Amino acid sequence: MAVPALAVCSCSSQSHAHRADNILRSETYRTWLVQGSDNGMVVLSVAPAAKIAKIELVNAGSQFVEVLASEEEADGDWFTIMPKSVFRTEKEVLAETARDRQRSTTLSPATSSKSWKRLKVVCSITPGLVDVKDAKYYFGLANLRIEIPSQQQDAATSASTLSQCVSPFASTTSKSSPPARTPPASICSAVQTPPMKARRLNPSSPSVADVTAVKPAAVSPTDLVVRRAADAAHTSTSKAVAE
């Protein structure tokens, strides 16, 4: 759907410095002001006719703002699409404060489903509240912007697509526990200790339990005397041979 263009068809009043088409400019310091009256209006054309999902307004001193729409290009019936809304209290008007308040209004499904060709913006102030001929009490509108349903859908789709995009450098590992870093295979092979092989005991050799269990044999007194006599005779024979 093409984005519609807005243009001023008519207005209740304007001046060279505060033209009605200022509400269509991006610079909000340029405003349209009603002069010498307690209400004023601007009629805008919408080309091509479009469904409107949202209206965004930037005030310029108005106490009340209302937006109506028509499905006809001229002499058609007007339907309220944004009810008369309070932008400033009487106290703020008298104190000359809060002149540039902003507001965004989402239209109802029944209203946003229709295609509109004209918009009428009505700005007003409580009659008799201030001297409307005094320049410091002039009021009007700074900016008006509309949003069509396809713009809302495109914005939602873009946001959804962006949230589903994953960076190629993204890691699924938790931030609180960084992944373990594995050293190169060359370093692992250089420092790796070869596994120890189990040694098999000689079947003929006694086990530790057997060695521990071996005790010296008991020697009788007779054997002890015989061994001593044999040792003495051996010693005597060795001496004789030596001489």
Side-chain angles (χ1 to χ4, degrees), residues 2-18:
V3 177
L6 303 179
V8 175
C9 295
S10 63
C11 63
S12 58
S13 65
Q14 63 178 347
S15 67
H16 178 72
H18 304 289

Side-chain angles (χ1 to χ4, degrees), residues 154-168:
D154 292 343
T157 302
S158 299
S160 176
T161 302
L162 181 61
S163 64
Q164 294 177 6
C165 289
V166 180
S167 171

